[in-house]
Amino acid sequence: MATDVRLWLRGEVDVLRHHLRHLIAIAADRADKEVDILMPGYTHLQPAQPVRWSHWLLSHAWAWQRDAARLADVRARMDVMPLGSGALAGHAFKLDRAALAADLRFSGGACPNSMDAVSDRDFMVETLAAAALLGVHLSRWAEDLIIYSSAEFGYVTLSDAYSTGSSLMPQKKNPDALELLRGKAGRLVGAHTTLLVTLKGTPSTYNKDFQEDKEPLFDAVDTLRGTLPIAQGVLSTLTPRPDRMRARLVPEMLATDLADYLVRKGVPFRETHHVAGAAVRLAEETRRPLLALTPAELRTLHPSFGDDVTAVWSFENSVEARDATGGTSKRAVLEQVARLREWLASTEVPQQLA
């Protein structure tokens, strides 16, 4: 059974990695095509700075890329053969375990210690840990889209195939698929916890408790087999609404750019941060948007403000100014797309269809 589980699981991990790669490819393709859409970026769920819609898409794609890499790491460690370990002390026959491992395509050869071989469930724990974290990443992505698709935000419209009308209120369109993705994360976290708790008090070698190891493993794999294609469908069919995103961009989101302007004039950021805050307060006290402050008014806050400060009041300039690797400029975002596509091309996964 220990050998059978490893044989089965390495194939299942390949299937999950294949689904993840497809999800990442969808995100990269959309990020490429929709790179010119701007939206508010949030911290603490409060409007913070303008970003590209594509930058948000890729923020989740990179998390999924790490999930796929973790699954690849787990697969490599599970690809060791326990067969021939007996109950705990190995076997008394002249069976070449190395040759048998090669025949069964275990790239890591045979387990080097028979006692460890029969009790090792690390590969299951690691798989469930990777599954739990993947579930959390899908849940956080789903939560973003649940918020963005709400009437209050309206940044995206979900396909009818992945949302439903209310049974009572016909005007509603509920993000059911995303809510179920969010809910499945708890199940995956629970599977990981279940196996760890099962293992924690067991003495060396085999114990009957270990028969409880497969139920959470099978359930987690089945859960991800179901959720990943749904995530692909949601992402490939949703429609962004650039007009709604643009409408929620407000000048106050450029307060950091105002501080950056002074930094370029040689003023330390610890000082410019306070000056920008004072500008925000001045705008609030005079009941005007931040961009309505004149250069003369800004000079009352700091003498380094010139007439060219008006160039700060541009959302496009703001995102383009962040041109470093990992930033929001068009070049930097498209660089991310290229890097993800290079990773996809260099990490082919055998397609094992279920």
Side-chain angles (χ1 to χ4, degrees):
M1 180 61 74
T3 302
D4 290 343
V5 171
R6 290 176 188 254
L7 289 169
W8 170 81
L9 187 55
R10 70 185 185 184
E12 291 298 312
V13 165
D14 285 343
V15 171
L16 298 180
R17 290 169 60 210
H18 177 71
H19 284 311
L20 257 177
R21 287 164 52 81
H22 187 200
L23 182 60
I24 294 164
I26 294 170
D29 288 346
R30 293 207 74 142
D32 190 1
K33 295 173 184 175
E34 297 163 354
V35 70
D36 292 321
I37 300 175
L38 302 188
M39 68 177 290
Y42 297 85
T43 65
H44 309 277
L45 204 56
Q46 301 296 315
Q49 291 179 273
V51 298
R52 293 185 185 277
W53 156 254
S54 296
H55 198 52
W56 172 82
L57 279 172
L58 295 172
S59 72
H60 291 285
W62 284 113
W64 298 331
Q65 185 270 342
R66 293 193 299 273
D67 291 319
R70 264 184 289 273
L71 286 172
D73 291 342
V74 172
R75 192 197 189 285
R77 279 190 291 278
M78 77 173 64
D79 207 16
V80 181
M81 187 192 73
L83 192 63
S85 297
L88 80 161
H91 67 84
F93 305 97
K94 295 186 181 299
L95 176 66
D96 186 343
R97 294 186 68 222
L100 183 56
D103 288 343
L104 293 176
R105 298 181 182 177
F106 280 100
S107 62
C111 295
N113 182 286
S114 61
M115 293 180 71
D116 178 54
V118 298
S119 63
D120 174 25
R121 297 297 184 275
D122 290 4
F123 69 98
M124 293 187 183
V125 173
E126 287 189 272
T127 300
L128 290 176
L133 189 51
L134 170 54
V136 169
H137 288 154
L138 290 173
S139 178
R140 297 189 70 196
W141 169 75
E143 174 67 4
D144 275 357
L145 285 179
I146 289 168
I147 293 169
Y148 294 164
S149 65
S150 68
E152 287 75 12
F153 283 72
Y155 293 174
V156 299
T157 300
L158 302 177
S159 167
D160 288 345
Y162 296 98
S163 55
T164 62
S166 168
S167 59
L168 179 63
M169 295 156 284
Q171 83 281 7
K172 291 182 65 200
K173 187 175 183 179
N174 298 327
D176 287 3
L178 291 167
E179 291 174 350
L180 289 169
L181 286 175
R182 188 176 60 184
K184 294 293 185 182
R187 188 175 189 135
L188 293 166
V189 172
H192 181 228
T193 303
T194 295
L195 184 53
L196 282 174
V197 172
T198 298
L199 295 174
K200 74 172 186 63
T202 54
S204 295
T205 72
Y206 185 76
N207 301 272
K208 200 65 172 178
D209 314 43
F210 290 177
Q211 72 178 11
E212 297 295 319
D213 60 1
K214 284 166 280 298
E215 185 175 1
L217 182 67
F218 294 164
D219 185 72
V221 169
D222 287 345
T223 296
L224 287 176
R225 271 180 167 268
T227 55
L228 286 170
I230 295 297
Q232 294 164 11
V234 170
L235 184 55
S236 63
T237 60
L238 63 79
T239 303
R241 299 181 62 187
D243 56 330
R244 290 295 297 264
M245 297 182 195
R246 184 81 185 198
R248 295 296 290 271
L249 293 172
V250 294
E252 286 65 33
M253 293 180 184
L254 300 172
T256 302
D257 296 86
L258 195 63
D260 291 345
Y261 169 90
L262 289 177
V263 170
R264 295 188 187 96
K265 299 286 187 177
V267 184
F269 183 79
R270 63 180 177 275
E271 183 179 343
T272 69
H273 180 272
H274 295 298
V275 174
V280 171
R281 286 192 297 275
L282 178 59
E284 290 174 347
E285 290 167 358
T286 57
R287 297 183 178 180
R288 290 178 293 168
L290 190 59
L291 58 76
L293 297 180
T294 66
E297 287 176 304
L298 289 171
R299 276 191 287 274
T300 66
L301 303 177
H302 199 284
S304 295
F305 281 116
D307 290 344
D308 60 345
V309 70
T310 55
V312 166
W313 311 125
S314 166
F315 301 118
E316 285 77 10
N317 288 349
S318 177
V319 296
E320 281 302 297
R322 287 152 179 82
D323 189 43
T325 297
T328 56
S329 74
K330 187 171 183 175
R331 184 207 63 79
V333 170
L334 292 178
E335 181 184 75
Q336 292 182 60
V337 173
R339 287 179 61 186
L340 279 174
R341 286 174 170 166
E342 288 172 7
W343 174 81
L344 288 167
S346 65
T347 55
E348 293 294 336
V349 176
Q351 294 190 23
Q352 298 188 20
L353 302 180

